[in-house]
Amino acid sequence: MENTARHPTIIQIAPGEVFGGVERHLLGLCAKLSIRGHMVKLILFHQAELAEQASASGLEVVVLPDRATLDFRSAFDLAAQIRLLGGDLLHVHGYRAMVTVRITKLMGRVALPVVKTEHGLSEPTGARLVEGLKSRIYSALDDSATRSTASSVCYVSADLQRAKSSSHSTVAGAVIGNGIDPIESLGQARPLDLPNAGLCLGIIGRLTEVKGVIHAIDALSRSAMPEDAQIIVLGDGPLRRELEEHAAAIGVSKRVTFLGFRRNVFDYLAHFDALLMPSLHEGLPYTLLEAMSLGCPVLASRVGGLAEVLIHDQTGLLFEAGDPGAIAAAVERLASEVGLAERLGTNAATIQRRSHSLDGMVDEYIGIYESVLDQSKKRMSRN
């Protein structure tokens, strides 16, 4: 599959502002590509956690000057770095990277072929009108840039590809699910800030509306929810204060603990009684794959990549999104049915290793890179 003459040099471009699934995707992909003999270089718009972890792993990282999201100077910054780094292909992640690459193309400063990974849909913004308008503008610019610039778009789930089928109708596309190396449970010590008693339900991720955390908090007040159930939230975000206030308002604040961002997520997953994923939409979250690999039972909304990967009653329990009563019922079943948690965890670990490996994901991306580069060479030979 790989080019035996010379492995192409891949420049990955991403925001790098927060640390979540996209950032874990990049770290895993870049590491494996490097092992396979590809030159991999990473350009980011923010000096943050991803830049630190990528640099620590030995990747060549460039962080662009800090500018506003749609500052045209970012395109000049990016074009200059692409020329300095050299490369055969650009792989972009996120609307800011896609739009900025499009501008460099319009200016005639970059001619490399482009592959894009679509990681998820724009997040709903509820009643916040300004944020909602900005989100729609960014999404429209992203779709336009994708249609006019990308040679191929890779979607992390089939659901996401369907959702983008109209706005990306002129671009070749493929579904490449996320993958991870197996994670072995090595007897990790129980984190000191985890309670020692009761049913411990973990939620991991950025605290935004699309994660549906408010519905999980509401589930604690339902009669079906076991009385000893408590929610431990790892992650931070714009809704943290609102969620804390909501838990207090409905009288369950003593059963919800917000721990903020944690680097040692695996230590928590190894000791949660279940991972709770009440999202309103998802691509294919890395937290899901990590929990599966560690054998942690997963209770999740029947949406997006969650519903594509999990098989109800075999590798997880699925419930309808936005339904606190359904969440409570799923937790009650897990707590009351003998052997269910162990069966779900064991089956999920097997499926992760068989169908969602990092090596398999990288194989598919290398195939996309080679196809795009081959098409680019043919177009150049005709011109």
Side-chain angles (χ1 to χ4, degrees):
M1 178 181 289
E2 296 178 349
N3 187 336
T4 57
R6 183 181 75 84
H7 294 300
T9 297
I10 311 298
I11 298 178
Q12 305 279 348
I13 307 172
E17 184 175 9
V18 298
F19 194 85
V22 176
E23 291 69 33
R24 278 131 89 187
H25 172 95
L26 275 164
L27 288 174
L29 177 61
C30 291
K32 286 289 185 180
L33 287 171
S34 297
I35 290 171
R36 304 280 188 93
H38 292 76
M39 288 292 292
V40 184
K41 302 175 182 186
L42 182 59
I43 299 178
L44 303 174
F45 291 87
H46 294 275
Q47 177 67 50
E49 182 73 17
L50 175 59
E52 293 179 13
Q53 290 200 30
S55 296
S57 71
L59 288 171
E60 184 174 355
V61 181
V62 173
V63 179
L64 299 176
D66 187 14
R67 302 192 191 280
T69 300
L70 296 181
D71 188 329
F72 272 58
R73 290 177 295 175
S74 291
F76 290 95
D77 299 332
L78 178 61
Q81 290 301 328
I82 290 172
R83 289 198 301 272
L84 285 172
L85 293 174
D88 299 294
L89 179 144
L90 306 179
H91 187 170
V92 301
H93 309 260
Y95 76 86
R96 185 172 184 182
M98 188 71 255
V99 172
T100 308
V101 166
R102 173 56 179 162
I103 295 170
T104 67
K105 292 265 189 176
L106 288 172
M107 295 188 306
R109 292 175 175 266
V110 172
L112 300 180
V114 175
V115 170
K116 181 189 182 186
T117 292
E118 199 72 62
H119 294 274
L121 297 175
S122 298
E123 295 188 1
T125 54
R128 289 182 284 279
L129 296 178
V130 174
E131 288 83 354
L133 179 60
K134 286 170 61 177
S135 178
R136 289 192 292 274
I137 291 172
Y138 292 159
S139 181
L141 290 172
D142 184 19
D143 287 340
S144 176
T146 300
R147 289 192 300 270
S148 57
T149 306
S151 297
S152 181
V153 182
C154 303
Y155 305 88
V156 300
S157 70
D159 175 75
L160 187 54
Q161 185 182 42
R162 286 191 295 271
K164 287 290 187 179
S165 60
S166 176
S167 55
H168 293 174
S169 59
T170 59
V171 189
V175 176
I176 301 181
N178 292 330
I180 62 171
D181 280 331
I183 307 167
E184 305 300 336
S185 180
L186 300 176
Q188 292 97 330
R190 188 182 185 87
L192 296 177
D193 48 11
L194 273 186
N196 291 313
L199 190 66
C200 190
L201 308 171
I203 292 179
I204 301 174
R206 185 163 165 77
L207 301 183
T208 57
E209 289 182 36
V210 76
K211 296 302 181 182
V213 178
I214 195 168
H215 304 298
I217 292 174
D218 283 339
L220 290 173
S221 66
R222 298 299 193 267
S223 59
M225 181 69 78
E227 293 183 358
D228 65 344
Q230 49 197 308
I231 293 174
I232 309 299
V233 182
L234 303 184
D236 218 327
L239 291 189
R240 176 167 176 169
R241 182 174 179 180
E242 181 178 322
L243 292 169
E244 290 173 332
E245 291 174 349
H246 182 73
I250 66 172
V252 299
S253 58
K254 292 184 179 179
R255 299 171 66 186
V256 185
T257 303
F258 292 85
L259 296 180
F261 176 75
R262 292 289 188 273
R263 281 188 171 179
N264 58 327
V265 169
F266 298 164
D267 294 344
Y268 289 86
L269 280 173
H271 292 280
F272 286 152
D273 292 301
L275 175 68
L276 193 55
M277 305 191 77
S279 303
L280 305 180
H281 184 269
E282 285 285 0
L284 180 48
Y286 274 78
T287 299
L288 168 65
L289 301 179
E290 291 159 355
M292 292 173 68
S293 194
L294 282 164
C296 176
V298 179
L299 314 183
S301 301
R302 190 178 279 105
V303 297
L306 300 176
E308 291 178 26
V309 170
L310 292 173
I311 303 172
H312 180 65
D313 202 38
Q314 294 184 38
T315 58
L317 296 182
L318 296 172
F319 49 79
E320 294 308 310
D323 187 342
I327 296 172
V331 175
E332 192 279 332
R333 183 184 171 196
L334 188 78
S336 62
E337 189 171 320
V338 177
L340 177 60
E342 182 178 1
R343 174 169 64 83
L344 294 177
T346 299
N347 290 345
T350 299
I351 292 298
Q352 184 278 308
R353 286 157 174 76
R354 179 191 305 157
S355 304
H356 305 286
S357 71
L358 181 54
D359 280 314
M361 182 190 88
V362 173
D363 284 343
E364 293 189 71
Y365 273 108
I366 290 174
I368 294 292
Y369 295 159
E370 292 183 344
S371 175
V372 167
L373 287 168
D374 183 58
Q375 292 170 17
S376 178
K377 289 175 183 176
K378 288 178 179 177
R379 283 194 297 271
M380 290 177 65
S381 66
R382 290 195 297 266
N383 293 335

